[in-house]
């Protein structure tokens, strides 16, 4: 069954796969997680603020993003971002943004919806006494959030945030639909060039599996640690 | 924005000669729903079996359930579809591989089975959590009544657990529908795929994707409403959601 497989093709492609592909995938994952977390926290704060309109806008945004398939959102931004760029810079033509910028914007906007729900749950898990104590100390709303509520919410939600980042890491493979050279894109390009689909896709599966497995093992250990503290 | 809007495009005939562009999108929607329905059946059945296995007293069954979930959860869906579509036929004995490759509608079956197994791992985790959330007295009561393990699950634990996890199952069902869009990569012309080809034929990017977006939102609304009725119908008396 594995007799006529040529695993040497993987060895030869390793530099391309990891230096080009995996670097792209990891950079995209890291920056998108960071951006998604910041934007998502802002959305969560909007939803929990007393202002009804602000909350509703954030709510509609989150529901909208979560009802669309990621592939469709990737297409949307791929075609939309040049026009937004034109509008922002006032250029006469849609400006071309690279594959990286376009996919980064897509993932930040998309993941923000998911991160905002996690942060909202995190903020709601903080007991009422905490913000009350903060205002008794004379902290403003912004200071309360910055110094009291958000650090605790972030800490409580850390395992879930990392789990969502693992999902994000796997989801970045979908930039394949834009023929971008992420890890899977690189594997697929080699696979098609050398006619070695089986070896390359098996190898890609093993790599994604190993990284995600190690990361989720880490999350379980982290969870156990946090559970002892509380 | 210097873009030529043309909302009338939907009523113009498509280049395939299968009616208008709107017909193209609607056939994509039908395929999305068909794929999602079959995938959901697979996900529910295998997910339930694996979920139950994770709660059984047998160590072997626990281990199998754990391995199953980790296997399907730690690989991107896209990679799993590629494994089913490109790799599996090559690894099978030659005759079986050729038969698989020549199967009519191969992208449809691959997508439904691939998405189904991918989602089954999530269903299994939900069900395990649902069974775990039941008071331990339920299982003991079932044993005390003289029910076998199978009967205990069949008549006591599962009917309770499924009703408890109905809301998260709704989001998993919606995820199943959304995940069928990944099948565009193996050539399935479901809703996203049809929107994409409409954009390639007509160059009306934003109209095509707007229409697909509205259709996805519509499907979401229908599913959420239907599930809310189902939730009220199966609510357990005495619980917060009960009558």
């Amino acid at each position: 069954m594995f007799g006529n497989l040529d695993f040497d093709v993987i060895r030869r492609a390793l530099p391309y796969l990891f230096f080009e592909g995996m670097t792209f995938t990891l950079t995209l994952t890291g920056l998108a997680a960071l951006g998604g977390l910041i934007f998502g926290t802002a959305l969560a704060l909007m939803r929990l603020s007393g202002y009804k309109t602000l909350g509703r806008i954030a709510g509609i945004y989150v529901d909208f993003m979560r009802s669309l398939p990621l592939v469709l959102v990737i297409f949307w931004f791929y075609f939309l971002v040049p026009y937004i760029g034109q509008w922002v810079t006032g250029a006469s033509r849609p400006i071309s943004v690279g594959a990286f910028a376009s996919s980064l914007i897509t993932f930040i906007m998309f993941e923000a919806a998911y991160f905002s729900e996690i942060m909202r749950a995190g903020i709601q898990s903080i007991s009422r006494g905490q913000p009350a104590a903060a205002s008794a100390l004379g902290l403003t709303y912004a200071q309360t959030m910055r110094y009291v509520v958000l650090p605790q919410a972030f800490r409580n939600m850390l395992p879930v945030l990392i789990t969502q980042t693992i999902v994000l890491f796997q989801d970045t493979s979908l930039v394949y639909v834009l023929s971008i050279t992420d890890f899977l894109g690189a594997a697929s390009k080699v696979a098609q060039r050398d006619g070695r689909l089986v070896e390359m896709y098996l190898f890609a599966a093993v790599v994604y599996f190993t990284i995600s497995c190690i990361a989720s093992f880490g999350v379980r250990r982290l969870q156990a640690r946090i559970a002892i503290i509380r | 924005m210097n873009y030529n809007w043309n909302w009338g495009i939907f009523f113009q005939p498509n280049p395939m000669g299968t009616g208008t562009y709107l017909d193209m999108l609607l056939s994509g929607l039908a395929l999305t729903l068909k794929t999602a329905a079959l995938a959901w059946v697979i996900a529910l059945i295998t997910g339930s079996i694996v979920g139950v296995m994770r709660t059984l007293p047998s160590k072997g069954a626990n281990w199998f359930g754990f391995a199953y979930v980790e296997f399907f959860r730690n690989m991107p869906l896209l990679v799993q579809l590629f494994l089913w579509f490109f790799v599996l036929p090559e690894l099978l004995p030659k005759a079986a591989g050729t038969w698989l490759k020549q199967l009519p509608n191969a992208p449809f079956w691959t997508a439904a089975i691939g998405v189904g197994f991918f989602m089954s791992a999530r269903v299994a985790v939900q069900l395990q959590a649902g069974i775990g959330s039941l008071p331990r007295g339920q299982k003991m009561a079932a044993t005390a009544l003289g029910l076998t393990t199978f009967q205990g699950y069949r008549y006591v634990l599962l009917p309770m657990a499924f009703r408890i996890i109905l809301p998260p199952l709704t989001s998993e069902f919606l995820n199943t529908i959304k995940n069928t869009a990944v099948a565009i990569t193996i050539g399935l012309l479901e809703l996203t795929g049809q929107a994409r080809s409409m954009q390639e034929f007509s160059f009306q990017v934003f109209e095509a994707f707007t229409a697909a977006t509205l259709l996805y939102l519509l499907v979401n609304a229908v599913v959420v409403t239907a599930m809310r009725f189902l939730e009220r119908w199966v609510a357990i008396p005495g619980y917060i959601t009960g009558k």
Side-chain angles (χ1 to χ4, degrees), chain B residues 94-121:
Chain B
K94 209 159 181 129
T98 318
W99 174 80
L100 253 186
K101 276 189 248 179
Q102 288 168 347
L103 213 61
N105 293 333
F108 167 73
W109 295 109
T110 312
I113 294 170
V115 175
F117 280 130
F118 180 76
M119 294 310 296
S120 73

Side-chain angles (χ1 to χ4, degrees), chain A residues 65-196:
Chain A
M65 276 298 177
R66 300 207 311 163
S67 17
L68 295 184
L70 178 54
V71 181
L72 186 63
V73 179
I74 289 176
F75 282 136
W76 257 123
F77 278 98
Y78 182 66
F79 292 107
L80 202 57
V81 165
Y83 284 99
I84 297 176
Q86 178 197 16
W87 177 64
V88 171
T89 59
S92 58
R93 290 217 247 146
I95 58 166
S96 70
V97 272
F100 182 73
S102 152
S103 48
L104 181 60
I105 294 173
T106 309
F107 275 96
I108 288 179
M109 302 294 277
F110 187 79
E111 290 300 323
Y114 288 84
F115 278 116
S116 97
E117 288 299 273
I118 298 172
M119 284 312 286
R120 190 160 70 110
I123 294 169
Q124 282 172 333
S125 75
I126 307 297
S127 75
R128 234 173 251 281
Q130 298 277 339
S135 24
L137 284 171
L139 299 188
T140 62
Y141 176 77
Q143 286 173 326
T144 307
M145 282 296 161
R146 162 80 185 76
Y147 296 111
V148 180
V149 176
L150 285 182
Q152 297 186 66
F154 186 73
R155 190 187 177 146
N156 287 350
M157 286 295 123
L158 197 57
V160 194
L161 289 171
I162 300 175
T163 306
Q164 181 61 32
T165 308
I166 300 173
V167 174
L168 166 65
F169 166 69
Q170 296 185 12
D171 280 349
T172 55
S173 65
L174 287 174
V175 296
Y176 172 89
V177 296
L178 303 179
S179 316
I180 288 174
T181 312
D182 69 318
F183 183 69
L184 183 66
S188 159
K189 276 169 191 166
V190 176
Q192 265 143 32
R193 187 194 63 197
D194 297 356
R196 289 286 170 189

Side-chain angles (χ1 to χ4, degrees), chain A residues 1-2 5 63-72 75-76 79-80 83 86 92-94 114 166-167 169-171 173-174 176-177 184 188 197-198 201-202 204-205 208-210 212-213 216 220, chain B residues 1-3 66 70-79 82-83 86-87 90-92 118 122 175 177-179 181-182 184-185 192 195-196 199 205-207 209-214 216-217 220:
Chain A
M1 164 166 133
F2 289 102
L5 291 191
D63 287 344
F64 183 72
M65 276 298 177
R66 300 207 311 163
S67 17
L68 295 184
L70 178 54
V71 181
L72 186 63
F75 282 136
W76 257 123
F79 292 107
L80 202 57
Y83 284 99
Q86 178 197 16
S92 58
R93 290 217 247 146
Y114 288 84
I166 300 173
V167 174
F169 166 69
Q170 296 185 12
D171 280 349
S173 65
L174 287 174
Y176 172 89
V177 296
L184 183 66
S188 159
L197 298 180
V198 177
Y201 288 146
L202 274 179
Y208 274 108
F209 180 78
T210 314
S212 306
C213 250
S216 42
R220 262 195 293 274
Chain B
M1 209 156 115
N2 52 354
Y3 172 80
F66 173 79
E70 293 302 312
F71 182 81
F72 284 104
R73 222 174 27 175
N74 284 321
M75 256 186 261
L77 173 59
L78 179 51
V79 174
F82 280 0
L83 287 186
F86 296 113
V87 177
E90 305 297 333
L91 295 184
L92 289 174
F118 180 76
R122 280 144 214 266
N175 283 338
I177 298 175
K178 286 189 289 169
N179 278 334
V182 177
I184 190 178
T185 55
T192 304
R196 175 95 171 113
Q199 169 257 316
V205 187
F206 296 118
E207 289 86 343
F209 289 147
T210 304
T213 301
L214 290 178
Y216 276 113
L217 290 179
N220 265 293

